[in-house]
Amino acid sequence: MWNYSEKVKEHFFDPKNSGAVAAANAIGEVGSISCGDALRLTLKVNPETEVIEDAGFQTFGCGSAIASSSALTEIIKGKTLDEALTVTNQDIADFLDGLPPEKMHCSVMGREALQAAVANYRGEEWKDDHEEGALICKCFAIDEVMIEETIISNNLRTVEEVTNYTKAGGGCSSCHEGIEGVLTRVLAEKGEAFVPAGIGGAVAAPASAPVKTAASAGTSVGGSLLKRIRIIESVLDKLRPALQADGGDVELAEVDGKTIYVHLTGACSGCQMAAMTLGGIQQQLIEALGEFVKVLPDTEMPVAVEA
Amino acid sequence: MSDIYLDNNATTQVDPAVVEEMLPFFTEQFGNPSSLHCFGNQVGHALKRARKQVQRLLGAEFESEIIFTSCGSESDSTAILSALRAQPERREIITTVVEHPAVLNLCEHLETEGYTVHKLEVDNRGRLDIGAYQSLLSDRVAVVSVMWANNETGTLFPVEKMAEMAHEAGVMFHTDAVQAVGKIPMDLENSAIHMLSVSGHKLHAPKGVGVLYLKRGTRFRPLLRGGHQERGRRAGTENVASIVGLGKAAELALGAMAFENSEVKAMRDHLEQGILEAVPNCFVAGDPDNRLPNTASIAFEYIEGEAILLLLNKVGIAASSGSACTSGSLEPSHVMRAMGIPYTAAHGTVRFSLSRYNTMDEMERVIAEVPSIVAKLRKLSPYWGEAGPLEDPEQAFSPVYA
């Protein structure tokens, strides 16, 4: 069974604001019974102040779908519509002390219902640009549709490229077979064949015992700081599209020997996945530089270095 | 009050008598059965005894037809891959759409390697079309792999008859019988089944041990080559303690066969009837007239299975669900979809699977708890109104943004 937080259980076993709000003037409906989850959000909005005075939900779905709906209504009650629209699915997940990666879509459904309800209130048309597929990468919660679309729009050909653009496969690497499957299918549709880059399994240095990775990409680049910075910048440039796709970005802040400080901005900063993102960057840098380096956020920079 | 375990198709409690039987093989008789010294001198005998016990449960003609493996999945893979390797000129496989992933995912992978896989469809009660099966049998088919009993619904397939049909067409027949062994009497000696998979932990033996039954003379290619264990058909040092446990469990299962088909069946029927009478808008999935004695699969409309399980778990009742959310996929159970069960019910299917350790009192407690749990979730559901389902629910609540 899922490893649900106490907060998720609390909102599932004893949901807040269940049922439809009487005299609702904003209604958002998302999901479908075929997908296994559906949500109707009803809001009572004060027409003068646009403050959400009451919110109610009706949900068909699993434990985390019900808990996410309950959390959403608790978060947005008392907010103005504009304030409510700044609520992200990550906020809903955070409110519940996190959701398993397979269940993040429940928080996405909550946010979409909110957008749909606000659009309904304002008489606008809300467009759902989000289609879900089977989950491939469990480390970063990336689904098949996302991988497929990214492969097509960026002409990707290798698992490594897919990882750079979507983060999928950048964690435990167990899903590489699945990513190869998507690549094979998409490339075949274009009349191309998938060619694996190699046997995979780059040798990384364990963090506890830094060693030269002579067995991997080759010898250490070492030497000139300028040369190293150029390589670091080019690696970050390669990773940038994936981060920007998530509304974030990364910049090189400082190189201090074997420690590289980066500055995460936008959606990346404070994101739960930040640590994993840093791990992914570190992995790429180790491979490109051929030496063990440690990647830390610039917030951990010693004052002397910062100056 | 103690918790009620109704998830025996997932796994079972190891019988205390089985544990008892296993213990000496961890501490005293820990030797390698292949060794000559006294630390292992009883181990070989113990393996032989376990093989005999399994042979009797399966009604196999020879004890050498029993190959111990690590699990049901290994047995399935060994059987199917063996048939393909032994007959490289045959490039087709016949199976069903409702197999366990142990067979289905392997077959789907084999499709990517160029094999043709025919998946037999089922009707709305989960039954096969034998005529369609007959028409697929040919000398291009390397193996037929059809489960004896379905893990989700308990529905039985006529594998003995299907094996005869395969045999007449000169095609190897394998059955994944992990749910059926110990619940259905078997007489493999007088059947045309060539290969059959058993899983220990489904019949009160520990996890991590299984059996592949291989009818004498059936052409075979091992999955694991190496040492001489299992007569060279499955290399790797024997999992002695677990094999001994499986032997004991097989002996117990044979003794309890009549009980399973009378007492356990009566409990299952009582539970099912009780729920159907107390809860509106629910029905039995599968073929109620032809199924395992211990399995009840009930579809509750307009609510989602995982939510039901979480609430059941809160009151100390363990069951399972074919809902998408319990597996992390988006589609509900392939078994429910194959039977054409509408999405309004497929997501809310709950499987109660009993064992000989359950009691009638427990059934009463479940019957008392289920109605309020279903009602609570329906109250939250946008597909359910004050007094029942919305009229034409999929129309009444049909978000544009699906």
Side-chain angles (χ1 to χ4, degrees):
Chain A
M1 194 49 76
W2 304 106
N3 197 5
Y4 283 138
S5 70
E6 286 307 312
K7 204 74 182 280
V8 172
K9 289 184 201 161
E10 185 187 316
H11 278 266
F12 168 67
F13 288 127
D14 188 16
K16 311 282 186 288
N17 314 309
S18 66
V21 169
N25 53 1
I27 299 174
E29 299 182 337
V30 290
S32 79
I33 204 155
S34 57
C35 306
D37 45 23
L39 163 57
R40 175 194 281 131
L41 179 68
T42 47
L43 308 177
K44 188 164 170 252
V45 181
N46 184 321
E48 300 287 311
T49 59
E50 286 209 334
V51 167
I52 299 170
E53 292 177 339
D54 201 2
F57 77 88
Q58 290 160 285
T59 294
F60 165 87
C62 58
S64 54
I66 289 169
S68 295
S69 307
S70 170
L72 169 71
T73 54
E74 285 288 279
I75 293 171
I76 61 173
K77 272 207 304 192
K79 283 191 158 67
T80 66
L81 292 184
D82 284 334
E83 285 166 356
L85 279 177
T86 64
V87 173
T88 65
N89 74 297
Q90 190 64 50
D91 291 334
I92 298 171
D94 289 347
F95 184 88
L96 292 168
D97 295 335
L99 286 170
E102 291 89 344
K103 298 291 191 171
M104 283 302 284
H105 66 92
C106 294
S107 61
V108 173
M109 181 172 77
R111 172 168 161 74
E112 288 177 347
L114 173 63
Q115 290 172 319
V118 174
N120 169 262
Y121 176 82
R122 291 179 171 166
E124 296 164 356
E125 195 186 332
W126 176 73
K127 241 180 98 54
D128 173 20
D129 54 358
H130 166 89
E131 197 190 337
E132 265 180 27
L135 194 64
I136 298 246
C137 170
K138 294 191 176 178
C139 295
F140 295 114
I142 311 290
D143 68 27
E144 186 165 1
V145 172
M146 159 89 101
I147 292 174
E148 193 177 316
E149 285 173 354
T150 312
I151 292 172
I152 293 169
S153 53
N154 297 286
N155 284 315
L156 306 186
R157 285 189 172 75
T158 66
V159 173
E160 193 187 4
E161 285 177 330
V162 170
T163 304
N164 291 344
Y165 276 77
T166 66
K167 292 197 284 197
C172 72
S173 85
S174 307
C175 64
H176 284 198
E177 185 185 358
I179 296 174
E180 284 190 13
V182 182
L183 276 165
T184 306
R185 185 163 45 76
V186 173
L187 290 174
E189 280 162 17
K190 292 200 293 182
E192 293 177 33
F194 166 69
V195 185
I199 57 164
V203 180
S208 54
V211 286
K212 291 265 172 73
T213 56
S216 68
T219 50
S220 160
V221 174
S224 139
L225 182 62
L226 188 65
K227 207 166 148 195
R228 290 176 77 219
I229 288 175
R230 277 204 191 118
I231 292 171
I232 294 166
E233 288 283 15
S234 77
V235 169
L236 294 183
D237 282 343
K238 257 172 57 185
L239 294 173
R240 200 159 275 131
L243 297 172
Q244 286 170 344
D246 282 355
D249 207 345
V250 61
E251 276 168 57
L252 178 62
E254 183 63 79
V255 181
D256 179 21
K258 299 276 185 200
T259 308
I260 298 169
Y261 293 97
V262 295
H263 182 55
L264 290 174
T265 54
C268 292
S269 94
C271 161
Q272 274 192 334
M273 294 293 189
M276 295 177 94
T277 306
L278 288 176
I281 295 173
Q282 174 167 306
Q283 184 62 37
Q284 300 279 334
L285 287 173
I286 289 170
E287 278 169 34
L289 294 167
E291 62 180 317
F292 178 74
V293 292
K294 196 161 154 190
V295 174
L296 291 174
D298 58 350
T299 48
E300 288 185 30
M301 251 195 294
V303 181
V305 179
E306 208 167 10
Chain B
M1 244 182 304
S2 61
D3 291 351
I4 302 173
Y5 186 75
L6 296 177
D7 199 11
N8 288 280
N9 286 12
T11 195
T12 59
Q13 181 200 347
V14 179
D15 191 298
V18 169
V19 177
E20 187 79 4
E21 201 82 1
M22 291 171 66
L23 288 176
F25 294 91
F26 291 108
T27 49
E28 296 155 25
Q29 284 293 314
F30 63 84
N32 191 318
S34 305
S35 305
L36 272 174
H37 49 64
C38 66
F39 291 91
N41 66 352
Q42 284 175 38
V43 178
H45 293 295
L47 290 179
K48 193 175 163 64
R49 186 155 161 260
R51 213 178 295 280
K52 277 243 169 255
Q53 287 163 319
V54 174
Q55 180 200 350
R56 272 196 289 273
L57 177 63
L58 299 180
E61 187 175 5
F62 305 103
E63 64 172 69
S64 61
E65 292 175 328
I66 307 302
I67 302 171
F68 288 110
T69 65
S70 69
C71 58
S73 295
E74 185 194 324
S75 301
D76 290 337
S77 271
T78 305
I80 292 169
L81 295 173
S82 164
L84 296 177
R85 286 178 189 168
Q87 313 163 88
E89 69 291 352
R90 295 183 176 225
R91 307 285 294 173
E92 294 181 17
I93 302 167
I94 300 175
T95 184
T96 80
V97 289
V98 295
E99 292 302 304
H100 188 273
V103 169
L104 217 47
N105 284 348
L106 173 64
C107 286
E108 276 165 16
H109 177 71
L110 288 167
E111 274 182 317
T112 69
E113 293 186 354
Y115 292 93
T116 302
V117 178
H118 304 285
K119 291 185 211 151
L120 298 168
E121 306 270 336
V122 295
D123 67 9
N124 60 6
R125 293 169 94 184
R127 294 170 300 195
L128 295 172
D129 178 347
I130 296 299
Y133 166 59
Q134 178 72 63
S135 67
L136 286 169
L137 287 168
S138 77
D139 59 8
R140 296 184 304 277
V141 178
V143 65
V144 178
S145 181
V146 171
M147 65 201 328
W148 198 313
N150 187 272
N151 49 309
E152 291 188 29
T153 61
T155 303
L156 299 170
F157 283 148
V159 287
E160 284 159 310
K161 182 181 167 198
M162 294 174 81
E164 275 165 31
M165 292 164 68
H167 193 74
E168 271 164 37
V171 177
M172 274 189 206
F173 190 93
H174 165 253
T175 179
D176 175 353
V178 300
Q179 297 293 348
V181 171
K183 295 170 199 151
I184 304 288
M186 290 183 182
D187 179 20
L188 295 183
E189 179 179 355
N190 294 304
S191 86
I193 293 167
H194 297 107
M195 295 178 282
L196 175 144
S197 301
V198 182
S199 168
H201 72 100
K202 307 285 191 197
L203 60 143
H204 307 288
K207 294 153 190 67
V209 64
V211 162
L212 175 63
Y213 160 84
L214 179 70
K215 190 177 272 299
R216 182 172 285 188
T218 306
R219 294 181 67 206
F220 184 73
R221 299 290 180 271
L223 183 67
L224 298 184
R225 289 179 191 270
H228 59 90
Q229 293 89 352
E230 302 300 299
R231 296 170 191 257
R233 295 169 302 178
R234 200 280 189 183
T237 300
E238 298 87 344
N239 180 4
V240 174
S242 292
I243 290 171
V244 167
L246 176 52
K248 181 67 183 175
E251 182 192 308
L252 294 173
L254 196 58
M257 189 75 73
F259 187 85
E260 288 275 349
N261 287 281
S262 55
E263 304 298 312
V264 175
K265 182 171 184 292
M267 284 191 274
R268 188 273 316 269
D269 290 343
H270 182 71
L271 173 72
E272 195 169 84
Q273 273 313 310
I275 290 175
L276 291 179
E277 280 164 22
V279 178
N281 293 82
C282 67
F283 59 88
V284 173
D287 185 359
D289 302 326
N290 184 33
R291 58 178 167 159
L292 292 174
N294 79 319
T295 309
S297 174
I298 303 179
F300 297 98
E301 293 184 289
Y302 313 115
I303 49 177
E304 202 278 333
E306 187 205 289
I308 304 173
L309 295 189
L310 290 170
L311 290 175
L312 281 172
N313 185 50
K314 201 176 172 218
V315 294
I317 299 168
S320 77
S321 163
S323 100
C325 275
T326 49
S327 60
S329 70
L330 294 168
E331 274 285 303
S333 143
H334 67 289
V335 178
M336 298 303 150
R337 293 302 300 146
M339 292 191 292
I341 301 219
Y343 281 112
T344 46
H347 285 288
T349 312
V350 174
R351 176 187 70 189
F352 301 96
S353 48
L354 285 62
S355 80
R356 55 182 186 263
Y357 301 106
N358 289 117
T359 64
M360 213 40 128
D361 281 352
E362 292 179 330
M363 300 308 113
E364 298 296 352
R365 266 177 62 200
V366 178
I367 293 168
E369 295 284 2
V370 166
S372 62
I373 287 173
V374 172
K376 176 179 175 165
L377 291 172
R378 282 184 175 158
K379 202 156 166 269
L380 294 176
S381 172
Y383 298 101
W384 194 264
E386 287 296 318
L390 301 177
E391 207 161 305
D392 196 0
E394 284 187 84
Q395 281 301 313
F397 183 72
S398 177
V400 189
Y401 318 110

